[in-house]
Amino acid sequence: MFGYECLYSKSPRSFLFSVVANVGPYGASRSLAVAYRQGNDKDISVSSSERVENVVADILALIKIFSDPANRAPLEAERALAEGWYSRSQGDNEAESNERPSIPDRPQPPFVIPDGSQEEEQSQIQPELPWHDDRLSEFPFTTTYLLLALLRNDSDSNATNSISTRPGDVQLQPLSTLFRADCLEYGLVVLDISDLDSGVKYGIVGFPVRYMAEVSYWCETGGWDPVEDPPPEKEPDTVLASPRPRVPLAISPWLRKYFYHMNLEEDPRFLILKNTPIVYATALDYIWPPELENQPRGEDRAGESSPGVTSSISNCL
């Protein structure tokens, strides 16, 4: 058989992190700190599990620092200040979605046949990000806690996460930054600190990156097999999974939905997050406005193809 098939699927390499609280008009969600953490694969054949482990370590560090009783007083003080700040700075003149900044996409690593036959090849590390703004942030304590969590030292082999994040891999973003869900490079993690009495809440929005190509394969039901079938003749397309629902997920439902083959749910790090509350969907309203849901990518081949192609993408779930 011959068809346009999903050969492999990976988690986003990088993530945008937004700390939010209900400090907008009528208790609407607004950002108090936003940062982008770019990822670096150890080698181009890295499995998606390392990317997932990296973001889980980020979330655990964030929940720990924002739940620390010693940090509660400054967080609650800044939350109170944020209500007045948003009222004064925006009022009834909030910028339209098309006027707000967002982070551009990045080229993805080349496809590597996931059968272990190719020698491990060092990935090209992404260049460090520039530090855009030397001014004090609007909410310095919240911003500092966000940076401390993302830039934690995990060099100890017994640490939660062994993947190193350089200072230049983290970049603060304007509070008005948008997540558009149309980029291959990064997903979104939202941390809600509206009610510290009930605990810090979190949610993940991250859609798989599919490597798609026209290939020959023998098994009609199983699709392309990296061992039994010939490799693609051309470099596969990188296609973002679709549809992309505007729904924040906890780690376990996220894994079951997109990366069920990883078998990571019994890992102690993942079990810790099972008891952590999930954010409400309204926590996304500012960072990912409802009107931006499911906006098509211009270069998304799947959106232009036949139902058979869409079915092939679905089979890669």
Side-chain angles (χ1 to χ4, degrees):
M1 298 189 66
F2 185 80
Y4 188 63
E5 295 293 313
C6 175
L7 311 184
Y8 194 59
S9 174
K10 283 191 174 185
S11 161
R13 179 169 51 176
S14 307
F15 277 85
L16 181 67
F17 293 83
S18 178
V19 181
V20 305
N22 54 353
V23 296
Y26 307 104
S29 178
R30 292 292 183 270
S31 297
L32 274 66
V34 182
Y36 176 72
R37 192 271 295 153
Q38 72 176 6
N40 288 297
D41 296 334
K42 292 180 179 178
D43 62 85
I44 61 174
S45 62
V46 69
S47 70
S48 194
S49 63
E50 289 193 11
R51 295 182 176 185
V52 172
E53 290 168 0
N54 196 8
V55 73
V56 167
D58 288 331
I59 295 170
L60 287 171
L62 285 163
I63 291 173
K64 180 178 180 180
I65 197 167
F66 280 98
S67 301
D68 190 332
N71 298 331
R72 179 161 182 165
L75 287 173
E76 291 186 335
E78 287 193 338
R79 182 190 173 283
L81 290 171
E83 293 182 359
W85 184 86
Y86 270 105
S87 177
R88 292 190 306 272
S89 63
Q90 293 184 343
D92 296 327
N93 300 314
E94 188 169 296
E96 297 292 332
S97 297
N98 58 5
E99 299 173 348
R100 292 169 56 188
S102 61
I103 298 171
D105 207 355
R106 297 280 185 87
Q108 295 302 289
F111 175 72
V112 175
I113 297 176
D115 64 351
S117 62
Q118 292 174 273
E119 292 185 5
E120 184 175 292
E121 183 176 339
Q122 187 69 31
S123 178
Q124 182 177 358
I125 301 299
Q126 299 195 79
E128 295 194 46
L129 301 167
W131 193 257
H132 283 319
D133 198 342
D134 294 329
R135 297 177 304 171
L136 288 174
S137 64
E138 288 83 358
F139 310 111
F141 284 103
T142 307
T143 302
T144 298
Y145 299 151
L146 174 59
L147 291 176
L148 286 173
L150 296 179
L151 292 172
R152 66 202 177 277
N153 182 5
D154 285 345
S155 57
D156 187 341
S157 60
N158 294 320
T160 302
N161 176 27
S162 61
I163 299 174
S164 176
T165 298
R166 305 166 299 175
D169 289 329
V170 176
Q171 185 184 65
L172 288 178
Q173 303 296 321
L175 296 181
S176 58
T177 298
L178 284 172
F179 175 73
R180 294 185 177 274
D182 63 353
C183 290
L184 297 160
E185 175 66 28
Y186 64 94
L188 171 68
V189 172
V190 174
L191 210 72
D192 193 334
I193 60 170
S194 296
D195 182 4
L196 295 177
D197 285 331
S198 63
V200 177
K201 301 177 178 66
Y202 83 101
I204 304 173
V205 178
F207 305 106
V209 177
R210 317 291 195 200
Y211 286 84
M212 305 281 300
E214 293 180 344
V215 288
S216 299
Y217 54 97
W218 299 106
C219 180
E220 181 177 356
T221 56
W224 181 79
D225 184 279
V227 176
E228 300 294 334
D229 298 320
E233 295 182 359
K234 298 180 180 179
E235 176 66 24
D237 302 321
T238 48
V239 178
L240 195 61
S242 185
R244 299 186 281 276
R246 193 175 158 277
V247 178
L249 297 175
I251 185 65
S252 292
W254 185 60
L255 287 174
R256 285 196 298 268
K257 184 174 179 65
Y258 296 120
F259 307 105
Y260 61 89
H261 56 283
M262 288 188 185
N263 299 319
L264 296 173
E265 291 192 56
E266 297 306 315
D267 187 301
R269 295 166 296 181
F270 292 78
L271 293 174
I272 293 173
L273 289 176
K274 278 194 172 182
N275 297 322
T276 303
I278 188 73
V279 298
Y280 298 114
T282 53
L284 298 178
D285 285 352
Y286 188 67
I287 187 75
W288 185 12
E291 63 267 22
L292 297 184
E293 184 174 13
N294 287 328
Q295 281 197 342
R297 285 176 58 87
E299 68 275 24
D300 193 339
R301 179 173 177 177
E304 302 171 357
S305 303
S306 67
V309 171
T310 304
S311 175
S312 296
I313 297 175
S314 300
N315 291 338
C316 202
L317 286 172

